[in-house]
Coordinates of all heavy atoms in Angstrom, one line a residue:
Chain A
K201 N 108.2 98.7 105.6 CA 107.0 99.4 105.9 C 107.1 100.4 107.0 O 108.0 100.4 107.8 CB 105.9 98.4 106.1 CG 106.2 97.4 107.2 CD 105.3 96.2 107.1 CE 105.7 95.2 108.2 NZ 105.1 93.9 108.0
A203 N 105.0 102.3 110.1 CA 103.8 102.1 111.0 C 103.9 102.9 112.2 O 104.9 103.5 112.5 CB 103.8 100.6 111.4
G204 N 102.8 103.1 112.9 CA 102.8 103.8 114.2 C 103.0 102.8 115.3 O 102.6 101.6 115.2
Y206 N 103.2 102.7 119.8 CA 103.2 103.5 121.0 C 104.5 103.4 121.8 O 105.1 102.3 121.9 CB 102.0 103.1 121.9 CG 100.7 103.4 121.3 CD1 99.9 102.3 120.8 CD2 100.2 104.7 121.2 CE1 98.7 102.6 120.2 CE2 99.0 104.9 120.6 CZ 98.2 103.9 120.1 OH 97.0 104.1 119.5
G209 N 104.9 100.5 124.2 CA 103.7 99.6 124.0 C 102.5 100.0 124.7 O 101.6 99.1 124.9
S211 N 99.2 102.5 124.9 CA 98.4 103.4 124.0 C 98.1 104.7 124.7 O 97.6 105.7 124.1 CB 97.1 102.7 123.6 OG 96.3 102.3 124.7
Q215 N 102.7 108.4 120.4 CA 102.8 107.5 119.3 C 104.1 107.8 118.5 O 104.3 108.9 118.1 CB 101.6 107.4 118.4 CG 101.7 106.3 117.4 CD 100.3 105.9 116.9 OE1 99.5 106.7 116.7 NE2 100.2 104.6 116.7
Y220 N 110.0 99.5 109.6 CA 110.4 98.1 109.5 C 111.3 97.8 108.3 O 111.1 98.4 107.3 CB 109.1 97.2 109.3 CG 108.3 97.0 110.6 CD1 107.2 97.8 110.9 CD2 108.6 95.9 111.5 CE1 106.4 97.6 112.0 CE2 107.8 95.7 112.6 CZ 106.7 96.5 112.8 OH 105.9 96.3 114.0
R246 N 91.9 86.3 101.7 CA 91.1 87.4 101.1 C 91.1 87.3 99.6 O 90.1 87.5 99.0 CB 91.5 88.8 101.6 CG 91.2 88.9 103.1 CD 92.0 90.1 103.7 NE 93.4 89.8 103.6 CZ 94.3 90.5 104.3 NH1 93.9 91.5 105.1 NH2 95.6 90.3 104.2
D259 N 81.0 97.3 102.8 CA 81.0 98.4 103.7 C 79.9 98.4 104.7 O 80.1 98.8 105.9 CB 80.9 99.7 102.9 CG 82.2 100.0 102.2 OD1 83.1 99.2 102.1 OD2 82.3 101.1 101.6
M333 N 79.6 86.4 124.0 CA 80.2 85.1 124.4 C 79.2 84.3 125.0 O 78.1 84.7 125.4 CB 81.4 85.3 125.3 CG 81.1 86.3 126.4 SD 81.7 85.7 128.0 CE 83.2 85.0 127.5
M367 N 87.4 97.1 117.8 CA 87.9 98.3 117.2 C 88.2 98.2 115.7 O 88.7 97.2 115.3 CB 89.2 98.8 118.0 CG 88.9 99.2 119.4 SD 90.4 99.9 120.1 CE 91.4 98.5 120.2
S368 N 87.8 99.3 115.0 CA 87.9 99.2 113.6 C 89.3 98.8 113.1 O 89.4 98.0 112.2 CB 87.5 100.5 112.9 OG 88.4 101.5 113.5
G369 N 90.3 99.3 113.8 CA 91.7 99.0 113.3 C 92.1 97.6 113.5 O 93.2 97.1 113.0
R376 N 89.7 88.3 112.0 CA 89.3 89.1 113.1 C 88.0 89.8 112.7 O 88.1 90.8 111.9 CB 90.4 90.0 113.6 CG 90.0 90.8 114.9 CD 90.4 90.0 116.1 NE 90.1 90.7 117.3 CZ 90.9 91.6 118.0 NH1 92.1 91.7 117.6 NH2 90.5 92.2 119.1
K466 N 94.8 80.7 131.0 CA 94.4 79.9 129.8 C 95.6 79.4 129.1 O 96.7 79.9 129.1 CB 93.6 80.7 128.9 CG 94.3 82.0 128.4 CD 93.3 82.8 127.5 CE 94.0 84.1 127.0 NZ 93.2 85.0 126.3
R477 N 102.0 85.2 110.4 CA 101.4 85.9 111.5 C 100.7 84.8 112.4 O 100.2 83.9 111.9 CB 100.3 86.9 111.1 CG 100.9 88.2 110.6 CD 99.9 89.1 110.1 NE 99.2 88.6 108.9 CZ 98.9 89.3 107.8 NH1 99.1 90.6 107.8 NH2 98.3 88.8 106.8
I548 N 82.5 66.6 77.0 CA 83.3 66.9 75.9 C 82.4 67.2 74.7 O 82.7 68.1 73.9 CB 84.4 65.8 75.5 CG1 85.3 65.7 76.7 CG2 85.1 66.2 74.3 CD1 86.2 64.4 76.6
T550 N 78.1 67.3 73.4 CA 76.7 67.3 73.9 C 76.0 65.9 74.0 O 75.2 65.7 74.9 CB 75.8 68.2 72.9 OG1 76.6 69.3 72.5 CG2 74.5 68.6 73.5
N576 N 78.8 74.4 76.3 CA 79.4 74.1 74.9 C 80.8 74.8 74.8 O 80.9 75.8 74.3 CB 78.4 74.6 73.9 CG 79.0 74.5 72.5 OD1 79.9 73.7 72.3 ND2 78.5 75.3 71.6
I579 N 87.1 71.0 76.0 CA 87.4 70.4 77.3 C 88.6 71.1 77.9 O 88.7 71.2 79.1 CB 87.6 68.9 77.1 CG1 87.7 68.2 78.4 CG2 88.9 68.6 76.3 CD1 86.4 68.2 79.2
G580 N 89.5 71.6 77.1 CA 90.7 72.3 77.6 C 90.3 73.5 78.4 O 90.8 73.8 79.5
R584 N 90.8 73.9 82.4 CA 91.5 75.1 83.0 C 90.7 75.8 84.0 O 91.2 76.1 85.1 CB 91.8 76.0 81.8 CG 92.5 77.3 82.3 CD 92.7 78.3 81.1 NE 92.6 79.7 81.6 CZ 93.7 80.3 82.2 NH1 94.8 79.6 82.3 NH2 93.6 81.5 82.6
R600 N 83.3 58.2 74.3 CA 83.9 57.0 74.7 C 83.4 56.5 76.1 O 82.9 55.4 76.3 CB 85.4 57.1 74.7 CG 86.1 55.9 74.4 CD 87.5 56.2 73.7 NE 88.3 57.1 74.5 CZ 89.1 58.0 74.0 NH1 89.1 58.2 72.7 NH2 89.8 58.8 74.7
E601 N 83.5 57.5 77.0 CA 83.1 57.2 78.4 C 81.6 56.8 78.5 O 81.2 55.9 79.2 CB 83.4 58.3 79.3 CG 84.9 58.5 79.7 CD 85.6 59.1 78.5 OE1 85.0 59.7 77.6 OE2 86.9 59.0 78.5
A608 N 86.9 59.6 82.9 CA 88.3 59.9 82.8 C 88.6 60.9 83.9 O 88.2 62.0 83.9 CB 88.6 60.5 81.4
R610 N 90.8 63.3 86.2 CA 92.0 64.2 86.3 C 92.0 64.8 87.7 O 91.1 65.6 88.0 CB 91.9 65.2 85.2 CG 93.2 66.1 85.2 CD 93.1 67.1 84.1 NE 94.1 68.2 84.4 CZ 95.0 68.6 83.5 NH1 95.0 68.1 82.3 NH2 95.9 69.5 83.9
Q617 N 95.7 61.4 83.4 CA 94.3 61.1 83.3 C 94.2 59.6 83.5 O 95.0 58.8 82.9 CB 93.8 61.4 81.9 CG 93.9 62.8 81.6 CD 94.2 63.0 80.1 OE1 93.6 62.3 79.3 NE2 95.2 63.9 79.8
Chain B
rG1 P 86.8 103.9 115.3 OP1 85.6 104.6 115.7 OP2 86.9 103.1 114.3 O5' 88.0 104.3 116.2 C5' 87.8 105.3 117.2 C4' 89.0 105.4 118.0 O4' 89.3 104.1 118.6 C3' 90.2 105.8 117.3 O3' 90.3 107.2 117.1 C2' 91.3 105.2 118.2 O2' 91.5 106.1 119.3 C1' 90.7 103.9 118.7 N9 91.1 102.8 117.9 C8 90.3 102.0 117.0 N7 90.9 101.0 116.5 C5 92.2 101.1 116.9 C6 93.4 100.4 116.6 O6 93.4 99.4 115.9 N1 94.5 100.8 117.3 C2 94.5 101.9 118.1 N2 95.7 102.2 118.7 N3 93.4 102.6 118.4 C4 92.3 102.2 117.8
rC2 P 91.1 107.8 115.9 OP1 90.9 109.3 116.0 OP2 90.7 107.1 114.7 O5' 92.6 107.5 116.2 C5' 93.3 108.1 117.3 C4' 94.7 107.7 117.3 O4' 94.8 106.3 117.6 C3' 95.5 107.8 116.0 O3' 95.9 109.1 115.7 C2' 96.6 106.8 116.1 O2' 97.6 107.3 116.9 C1' 95.9 105.7 116.9 N1 95.3 104.6 116.0 C2 96.2 103.6 115.5 O2 97.4 103.7 115.9 N3 95.7 102.7 114.7 C4 94.4 102.7 114.4 N4 94.0 101.7 113.6 C5 93.5 103.6 114.9 C6 94.0 104.6 115.7
rC3 P 96.1 109.6 114.2 OP1 96.3 111.0 114.2 OP2 94.9 109.1 113.4 O5' 97.4 108.8 113.7 C5' 98.6 109.2 114.2 C4' 99.7 108.3 113.5 O4' 99.5 106.9 113.9 C3' 99.6 108.3 112.0 O3' 100.3 109.4 111.4 C2' 100.4 107.0 111.7 O2' 101.8 107.2 111.8 C1' 99.9 106.1 112.8 N1 98.7 105.3 112.4 C2 98.9 104.1 111.6 O2 100.1 103.8 111.3 N3 97.9 103.4 111.2 C4 96.6 103.7 111.6 N4 95.6 103.0 111.2 C5 96.4 104.9 112.3 C6 97.4 105.7 112.7
rU4 P 99.8 110.0 110.0 OP1 100.5 111.3 109.8 OP2 98.3 110.0 110.0 O5' 100.2 109.0 108.9 C5' 101.6 108.9 108.6 C4' 101.8 107.7 107.7 O4' 101.4 106.5 108.3 C3' 100.9 107.7 106.4 O3' 101.5 108.5 105.4 C2' 101.0 106.2 106.0 O2' 102.2 105.9 105.4 C1' 100.9 105.6 107.4 N1 99.5 105.3 107.7 C2 98.9 104.1 107.2 O2 99.6 103.3 106.5 N3 97.6 103.8 107.5 C4 96.8 104.6 108.3 O4 95.7 104.3 108.5 C5 97.4 105.8 108.8 C6 98.7 106.1 108.5
rG5 P 100.4 109.2 104.3 OP1 101.2 110.1 103.5 OP2 99.3 109.7 105.1 O5' 100.0 108.0 103.4 C5' 100.9 107.4 102.5 C4' 100.4 106.0 102.0 O4' 100.0 105.3 103.2 C3' 99.1 106.1 101.2 O3' 99.4 106.4 99.8 C2' 98.6 104.7 101.3 O2' 99.4 103.8 100.5 C1' 98.9 104.4 102.8 N9 97.7 104.7 103.6 C8 97.5 105.7 104.5 N7 96.4 105.7 105.1 C5 95.8 104.5 104.6 C6 94.5 103.9 104.9 O6 93.6 104.3 105.7 N1 94.3 102.7 104.2 C2 95.2 102.2 103.3 N2 94.8 101.1 102.7 N3 96.4 102.7 103.0 C4 96.6 103.9 103.7
rC11 P 84.5 93.9 91.5 OP1 84.6 93.9 93.0 OP2 84.6 95.2 90.7 O5' 85.5 92.9 90.9 C5' 85.7 91.6 91.5 C4' 86.7 90.8 90.8 O4' 86.3 90.6 89.4 C3' 88.1 91.5 90.7 O3' 88.9 91.3 91.9 C2' 88.7 90.9 89.5 O2' 89.2 89.7 89.7 C1' 87.5 90.7 88.6 N1 87.2 91.9 87.6 C2 88.1 92.0 86.5 O2 89.0 91.1 86.4 N3 87.9 93.0 85.6 C4 86.9 93.9 85.8 N4 86.7 94.8 84.9 C5 86.0 93.8 87.0 C6 86.2 92.8 87.8
rU12 P 89.9 92.4 92.3 OP1 90.5 91.9 93.6 OP2 89.3 93.8 92.2 O5' 91.0 92.3 91.2 C5' 91.9 91.2 91.1 C4' 92.9 91.4 90.0 O4' 92.2 91.4 88.7 C3' 93.6 92.8 90.0 O3' 94.7 92.8 90.8 C2' 94.0 92.9 88.5 O2' 95.2 92.1 88.2 C1' 92.8 92.3 87.8 N1 91.9 93.3 87.3 C2 92.1 93.9 86.1 O2 93.0 93.6 85.4 N3 91.2 94.9 85.8 C4 90.1 95.3 86.5 O4 89.3 96.1 86.0 C5 89.9 94.6 87.7 C6 90.8 93.7 88.1
rA26 P 87.1 85.0 79.4 OP1 87.0 83.5 79.3 OP2 86.8 85.8 78.2 O5' 86.1 85.5 80.5 C5' 85.9 84.8 81.8 C4' 85.0 85.5 82.7 O4' 85.4 86.8 82.9 C3' 83.6 85.7 82.1 O3' 82.8 84.5 82.3 C2' 83.1 86.8 82.9 O2' 82.7 86.5 84.3 C1' 84.3 87.7 83.0 N9 84.3 88.6 81.8 C8 85.1 88.6 80.7 N7 84.9 89.5 79.9 C5 83.9 90.3 80.5 C6 83.2 91.4 80.0 N6 83.5 92.1 78.9 N1 82.3 91.9 80.9 C2 82.0 91.3 82.0 N3 82.6 90.2 82.5 C4 83.5 89.7 81.7
rA27 P 81.6 84.2 81.3 OP1 80.9 82.9 81.8 OP2 82.2 84.2 79.9 O5' 80.6 85.4 81.4 C5' 79.8 85.6 82.6 C4' 78.9 86.8 82.3 O4' 79.6 88.0 82.1 C3' 78.0 86.6 81.1 O3' 76.8 85.9 81.3 C2' 77.7 88.1 80.8 O2' 76.7 88.6 81.6 C1' 79.0 88.8 81.1 N9 79.9 88.9 80.0 C8 81.1 88.2 79.8 N7 81.8 88.6 78.7 C5 81.0 89.6 78.2 C6 81.1 90.4 77.0 N6 82.1 90.3 76.2 N1 80.1 91.3 76.8 C2 79.1 91.4 77.6 N3 78.9 90.7 78.7 C4 79.8 89.8 79.0
rC32 P 77.5 76.5 63.5 OP1 77.3 75.7 62.2 OP2 76.4 76.4 64.5 O5' 78.9 76.1 64.1 C5' 80.0 76.0 63.3 C4' 81.3 75.8 64.1 O4' 81.4 76.9 65.1 C3' 81.2 74.5 65.0 O3' 81.6 73.4 64.3 C2' 82.2 74.9 66.1 O2' 83.5 74.7 65.7 C1' 81.9 76.4 66.3 N1 80.9 76.6 67.4 C2 81.4 76.6 68.7 O2 82.6 76.4 68.9 N3 80.5 76.8 69.7 C4 79.2 77.0 69.4 N4 78.4 77.2 70.4 C5 78.7 77.0 68.1 C6 79.6 76.8 67.1
rU33 P 80.7 72.1 64.5 OP1 81.3 71.1 63.6 OP2 79.3 72.4 64.4 O5' 81.0 71.6 66.0 C5' 82.3 71.1 66.4 C4' 82.2 70.2 67.5 O4' 81.4 70.7 68.5 C3' 81.5 68.9 67.1 O3' 82.1 67.8 67.8 C2' 80.1 69.0 67.7 O2' 79.5 67.8 68.0 C1' 80.3 69.8 68.9 N1 79.2 70.6 69.4 C2 78.6 70.2 70.6 O2 79.1 69.3 71.3 N3 77.5 70.9 71.0 C4 76.9 71.9 70.3 O4 75.9 72.4 70.8 C5 77.5 72.2 69.1 C6 78.6 71.6 68.7
rU34 P 83.3 67.0 67.2 OP1 83.7 67.7 66.0 OP2 82.9 65.6 67.2 O5' 84.3 67.3 68.4 C5' 85.6 67.7 68.0 C4' 86.1 68.8 69.0 O4' 85.0 69.7 69.3 C3' 86.5 68.3 70.4 O3' 87.9 68.7 70.6 C2' 85.6 69.0 71.4 O2' 86.2 69.3 72.5 C1' 85.2 70.2 70.6 N1 84.0 70.9 71.0 C2 83.9 72.3 70.8 O2 84.8 72.9 70.2 N3 82.8 72.9 71.2 C4 81.8 72.3 71.9 O4 80.8 73.0 72.2 C5 81.9 70.9 72.1 C6 83.0 70.2 71.7
rG35 P 89.0 67.7 70.4 OP1 90.3 68.5 70.2 OP2 88.6 66.8 69.4 O5' 89.1 67.0 71.8 C5' 89.3 67.8 73.0 C4' 90.0 66.9 74.0 O4' 89.1 65.8 74.4 C3' 91.3 66.2 73.5 O3' 92.1 66.0 74.6 C2' 90.7 64.8 73.1 O2' 91.7 63.8 73.2 C1' 89.7 64.6 74.1 N9 88.6 63.7 73.7 C8 87.9 63.7 72.5 N7 87.0 62.8 72.5 C5 87.1 62.1 73.7 C6 86.3 61.0 74.2 O6 85.4 60.4 73.7 N1 86.7 60.6 75.5 C2 87.8 61.3 76.1 N2 88.0 60.8 77.3 N3 88.5 62.3 75.7 C4 88.1 62.6 74.5
rU36 P 93.6 66.5 74.6 OP1 93.8 67.4 73.4 OP2 94.4 65.2 74.7 O5' 93.8 67.3 75.9 C5' 93.2 68.6 76.1 C4' 93.0 68.9 77.5 O4' 92.0 68.1 78.1 C3' 94.3 68.6 78.3 O3' 94.4 69.6 79.3 C2' 94.0 67.2 78.9 O2' 94.7 67.0 80.2 C1' 92.5 67.4 79.2 N1 91.8 66.1 79.3 C2 91.4 65.7 80.5 O2 91.6 66.3 81.5 N3 90.7 64.5 80.6 C4 90.4 63.7 79.5 O4 89.8 62.6 79.7 C5 90.9 64.2 78.2 C6 91.5 65.3 78.2
rA37 P 95.7 70.5 79.5 OP1 96.1 70.9 78.1 OP2 96.6 70.0 80.4 O5' 95.0 71.8 80.1 C5' 93.9 72.5 79.5 C4' 94.0 73.9 79.8 O4' 93.9 74.1 81.2 C3' 95.3 74.5 79.3 O3' 95.1 75.9 78.9 C2' 96.2 74.5 80.6 O2' 97.1 75.5 80.6 C1' 95.1 74.7 81.6 N9 95.5 74.1 82.9 C8 95.8 72.8 83.2 N7 96.1 72.6 84.4 C5 95.9 73.8 85.0 C6 96.1 74.2 86.4 N6 96.4 73.4 87.3 N1 95.8 75.5 86.6 C2 95.5 76.3 85.6 N3 95.3 76.0 84.3 C4 95.5 74.8 84.1
rA38 P 95.2 76.3 77.4 OP1 95.6 75.2 76.7 OP2 96.0 77.5 77.4 O5' 93.7 76.7 76.9 C5' 92.6 76.8 77.8 C4' 91.6 77.8 77.2 O4' 91.5 78.9 78.1 C3' 91.9 78.3 75.8 O3' 90.7 78.8 75.3 C2' 92.8 79.5 76.2 O2' 92.8 80.5 75.2 C1' 92.1 80.0 77.4 N9 93.0 80.7 78.3 C8 94.3 80.5 78.6 N7 94.8 81.3 79.6 C5 93.7 82.1 79.9 C6 93.6 83.1 80.8 N6 94.5 83.5 81.6 N1 92.4 83.7 80.9 C2 91.4 83.3 80.1 N3 91.4 82.3 79.2 C4 92.6 81.8 79.1
rU39 P 89.8 78.1 74.3 OP1 88.5 78.2 74.8 OP2 90.4 76.7 74.0 O5' 89.9 78.9 73.0 C5' 90.8 78.6 71.9 C4' 90.1 78.8 70.6 O4' 88.9 78.1 70.5 C3' 89.6 80.3 70.3 O3' 90.7 81.1 69.9 C2' 88.6 80.0 69.2 O2' 89.3 79.8 68.0 C1' 88.0 78.7 69.7 N1 86.7 79.0 70.4 C2 85.6 79.3 69.6 O2 85.7 79.4 68.4 N3 84.5 79.6 70.3 C4 84.3 79.5 71.7 O4 83.2 79.7 72.2 C5 85.5 79.1 72.4 C6 86.6 78.9 71.8
rU66 P 83.8 107.7 110.1 OP1 83.2 107.2 111.3 OP2 85.3 107.9 110.1 O5' 83.5 106.6 108.9 C5' 82.1 106.3 108.7 C4' 82.1 105.4 107.4 O4' 82.4 106.2 106.3 C3' 83.0 104.3 107.4 O3' 82.6 103.1 108.1 C2' 83.1 104.0 105.9 O2' 81.9 103.3 105.5 C1' 83.1 105.4 105.3 N1 84.5 105.9 105.1 C2 85.1 105.5 104.0 O2 84.6 104.7 103.1 N3 86.4 106.0 103.8 C4 87.1 106.8 104.7 O4 88.2 107.1 104.4 C5 86.3 107.2 105.9 C6 85.1 106.7 106.0
rG67 P 83.7 102.2 108.9 OP1 82.9 101.3 109.7 OP2 84.8 103.0 109.4 O5' 84.3 101.4 107.6 C5' 83.4 100.5 106.9 C4' 84.1 100.1 105.6 O4' 84.4 101.3 104.8 C3' 85.5 99.5 105.8 O3' 85.4 98.1 106.1 C2' 86.1 99.7 104.4 O2' 85.6 98.8 103.5 C1' 85.6 101.1 104.1 N9 86.6 102.1 104.5 C8 86.6 102.9 105.7 N7 87.6 103.7 105.7 C5 88.4 103.4 104.6 C6 89.6 103.9 104.2 O6 90.3 104.8 104.7 N1 90.0 103.3 103.0 C2 89.3 102.3 102.3 N2 89.9 101.9 101.2 N3 88.2 101.8 102.7 C4 87.8 102.4 103.9
rC68 P 86.6 97.4 106.9 OP1 86.1 96.0 107.3 OP2 87.0 98.3 108.0 O5' 87.7 97.2 105.8 C5' 87.5 96.4 104.7 C4' 88.7 96.7 103.7 O4' 88.7 98.1 103.4 C3' 90.1 96.4 104.3 O3' 90.4 95.0 104.2 C2' 90.9 97.2 103.3 O2' 91.0 96.6 102.1 C1' 90.1 98.5 103.2 N1 90.4 99.5 104.1 C2 91.6 100.3 103.9 O2 92.3 100.0 102.8 N3 91.9 101.3 104.7 C4 91.2 101.5 105.8 N4 91.6 102.5 106.6 C5 90.0 100.8 106.1 C6 89.7 99.8 105.2
rA69 P 91.4 94.4 105.3 OP1 91.4 93.0 105.1 OP2 91.1 95.0 106.6 O5' 92.8 95.0 104.8 C5' 93.4 94.5 103.6 C4' 94.7 95.2 103.3 O4' 94.5 96.6 103.2 C3' 95.7 95.1 104.5 O3' 96.3 93.9 104.5 C2' 96.6 96.3 104.2 O2' 97.5 96.0 103.2 C1' 95.6 97.3 103.7 N9 95.1 98.2 104.8 C8 93.9 98.1 105.4 N7 93.7 99.1 106.3 C5 94.9 99.9 106.2 C6 95.3 101.0 106.9 N6 94.6 101.7 107.8 N1 96.5 101.5 106.5 C2 97.3 100.9 105.6 N3 97.0 99.8 104.9 C4 95.7 99.3 105.3
rG70 P 96.8 93.2 105.9 OP1 97.2 91.9 105.7 OP2 95.7 93.5 106.9 O5' 98.0 94.1 106.3 C5' 99.2 94.1 105.5 C4' 100.2 95.1 106.0 O4' 99.7 96.4 105.8 C3' 100.4 95.0 107.5 O3' 101.3 94.0 107.8 C2' 100.9 96.4 107.8 O2' 102.3 96.5 107.5 C1' 100.1 97.3 106.9 N9 98.9 97.8 107.5 C8 97.7 97.3 107.6 N7 96.8 98.0 108.3 C5 97.6 99.1 108.7 C6 97.2 100.3 109.5 O6 96.1 100.6 110.0 N1 98.3 101.1 109.7 C2 99.6 100.9 109.2 N2 100.5 101.8 109.4 N3 99.9 99.8 108.4 C4 98.9 99.0 108.2
rG71 P 101.2 93.3 109.3 OP1 102.0 92.1 109.2 OP2 99.8 93.2 109.8 O5' 102.0 94.3 110.1 C5' 101.6 94.7 111.4 C4' 102.3 96.0 111.8 O4' 101.8 97.1 111.0 C3' 102.0 96.3 113.2 O3' 102.9 95.7 114.1 C2' 102.1 97.8 113.2 O2' 103.4 98.2 113.2 C1' 101.5 98.2 111.8 N9 100.0 98.3 111.9 C8 99.1 97.5 111.4 N7 97.8 97.8 111.6 C5 98.0 99.0 112.3 C6 97.0 99.9 112.9 O6 95.8 99.8 112.8 N1 97.6 100.9 113.6 C2 98.9 101.1 113.7 N2 99.3 102.2 114.4 N3 99.8 100.3 113.2 C4 99.3 99.3 112.5
rC72 P 102.4 95.1 115.4 OP1 103.5 94.4 116.1 OP2 101.1 94.3 115.2 O5' 102.0 96.4 116.3 C5' 103.0 97.3 116.6 C4' 102.4 98.5 117.4 O4' 101.5 99.2 116.5 C3' 101.5 98.1 118.5 O3' 102.2 97.8 119.7 C2' 100.7 99.4 118.7 O2' 101.4 100.4 119.3 C1' 100.5 99.8 117.2 N1 99.2 99.2 116.7 C2 98.0 99.9 117.0 O2 98.1 100.9 117.7 N3 96.8 99.4 116.5 C4 96.8 98.3 115.7 N4 95.6 97.9 115.3 C5 98.0 97.6 115.4 C6 99.2 98.1 115.9
rU73 P 101.6 96.6 120.7 OP1 102.6 96.5 121.8 OP2 101.3 95.4 119.9 O5' 100.3 97.3 121.2 C5' 100.3 98.3 122.2 C4' 98.9 98.8 122.4 O4' 98.3 99.3 121.1 C3' 97.9 97.8 122.8 O3' 97.9 97.5 124.2 C2' 96.6 98.5 122.4 O2' 96.2 99.5 123.3 C1' 96.9 99.1 121.1 N1 96.6 98.1 120.0 C2 95.3 98.1 119.6 O2 94.5 98.9 120.0 N3 95.0 97.2 118.6 C4 95.9 96.3 118.0 O4 95.5 95.6 117.1 C5 97.3 96.4 118.5 C6 97.6 97.3 119.5
rC74 P 97.7 96.1 124.7 OP1 97.8 96.1 126.2 OP2 98.5 95.1 123.9 O5' 96.1 95.8 124.4 C5' 95.1 96.5 125.0 C4' 93.8 96.2 124.4 O4' 93.8 96.5 123.0 C3' 93.4 94.7 124.4 O3' 92.8 94.4 125.7 C2' 92.3 94.7 123.3 O2' 91.1 95.3 123.8 C1' 93.0 95.7 122.3 N1 93.8 94.9 121.3 C2 93.1 94.3 120.2 O2 91.9 94.4 120.2 N3 93.8 93.6 119.3 C4 95.1 93.4 119.5 N4 95.7 92.7 118.6 C5 95.8 94.0 120.6 C6 95.1 94.7 121.4
rC75 P 93.2 92.9 126.2 OP1 92.6 92.8 127.6 OP2 94.6 92.6 126.0 O5' 92.3 92.0 125.3 C5' 90.9 92.0 125.3 C4' 90.4 91.1 124.1 O4' 90.9 91.6 122.9 C3' 90.8 89.7 124.1 O3' 90.1 88.9 125.0 C2' 90.6 89.3 122.7 O2' 89.3 89.1 122.4 C1' 91.1 90.6 122.0 N1 92.5 90.5 121.6 C2 92.8 89.9 120.4 O2 91.9 89.5 119.7 N3 94.1 89.8 120.0 C4 95.1 90.3 120.8 N4 96.4 90.1 120.4 C5 94.8 90.9 122.1 C6 93.5 91.0 122.4
rA76 P 90.8 87.8 125.8 OP1 91.4 88.4 127.0 OP2 91.6 87.0 124.9 O5' 89.6 86.8 126.2 C5' 89.3 86.6 127.6 C4' 87.8 86.5 127.8 O4' 87.2 87.8 127.9 C3' 87.0 85.9 126.6 O3' 87.1 84.5 126.5 C2' 85.6 86.4 126.8 O2' 84.9 85.7 127.7 C1' 85.9 87.8 127.3 N9 85.9 88.8 126.2 C8 86.9 89.2 125.4 N7 86.5 90.1 124.5 C5 85.2 90.4 124.8 C6 84.3 91.3 124.3 N6 84.5 92.1 123.3 N1 83.0 91.3 124.8 C2 82.8 90.5 125.8 N3 83.6 89.6 126.4 C4 84.8 89.6 125.9

Side-chain angles (χ1 to χ4, degrees):
Chain A
K201 55 199 177 193
Y206 298 105
S211 56
Q215 189 156 36
Y220 282 94
R246 292 162 296 197
D259 287 10
M333 45 139 35
M367 286 189 295
S368 58
R376 183 89 182 266
K466 61 181 177 184
R477 283 178 294 222
I548 297 168
T550 319
N576 176 19
I579 192 64
R584 176 183 150 81
R600 210 151 55 218
E601 286 75 16
R610 181 178 165 131
Q617 300 145 45

